[in-house]
Amino acid sequence: DMALDGDAFVASEDDMRAERAAFLKIVRAVYAYPDDVARDVARWRSSLDSAHIPAHHRPLLANAVRELDRAEACAEANTAFTRAAIDNFVHNPYAPEHLRVPKEEV
């Protein structure tokens, strides 16, 4: 429940705890993202490199392999961007108190 205080909304303790819990889920997902992407890309590479794919079909998969290279590059850029945004709150004394995230909680 948000209470109106002049021109600003004031969050209750319950609101701040809920917001912190939700934010921690986001932070942890951002930090887990590179491993998740690496696992997915490795699985796709393994499937595309698999011996069960007939040799005459392999040229058809060349574009898929290039797309995996692109996916890895995109994942690296996404990681850099999202980590930079999240790091504004990780162990930052200037972040809102209920959203400060100690490094050991990530």
Side-chain angles (χ1 to χ4, degrees), residues 56-101:
H56 63 279
H57 286 168
R58 290 185 186 271
L60 300 172
L61 299 175
N63 191 47
V65 172
R66 280 191 299 277
E67 288 301 313
L68 285 174
D69 293 339
R70 240 182 86 211
E72 285 178 318
C74 289
E76 289 174 15
N78 289 343
T79 296
F81 174 78
T82 54
R83 285 243 177 122
I86 291 297
D87 284 348
N88 285 310
F89 296 91
V90 174
H91 206 59
N92 181 348
Y94 300 108
E97 188 173 336
H98 70 290
L99 294 180
R100 290 181 199 156
V101 180

Side-chain angles (χ1 to χ4, degrees), residues 29 32-49 64-65 67-73 75 78:
Y33 175 77
D35 292 335
D36 293 343
V37 170
R39 193 172 30 259
D40 288 344
V41 168
R43 183 175 47 84
W44 276 101
R45 280 195 196 284
S46 175
S47 294
L48 293 173
D49 293 340
V65 172
E67 288 301 313
L68 285 174
D69 293 339
R70 240 182 86 211
E72 285 178 318
N78 289 343

Side-chain angles (χ1 to χ4, degrees), residues 5-20:
D5 181 20
D7 292 331
F9 282 105
V10 178
S12 71
E13 287 292 321
D14 288 341
D15 292 334
M16 288 190 288
R17 272 193 294 280
E19 186 175 19
R20 178 175 176 71

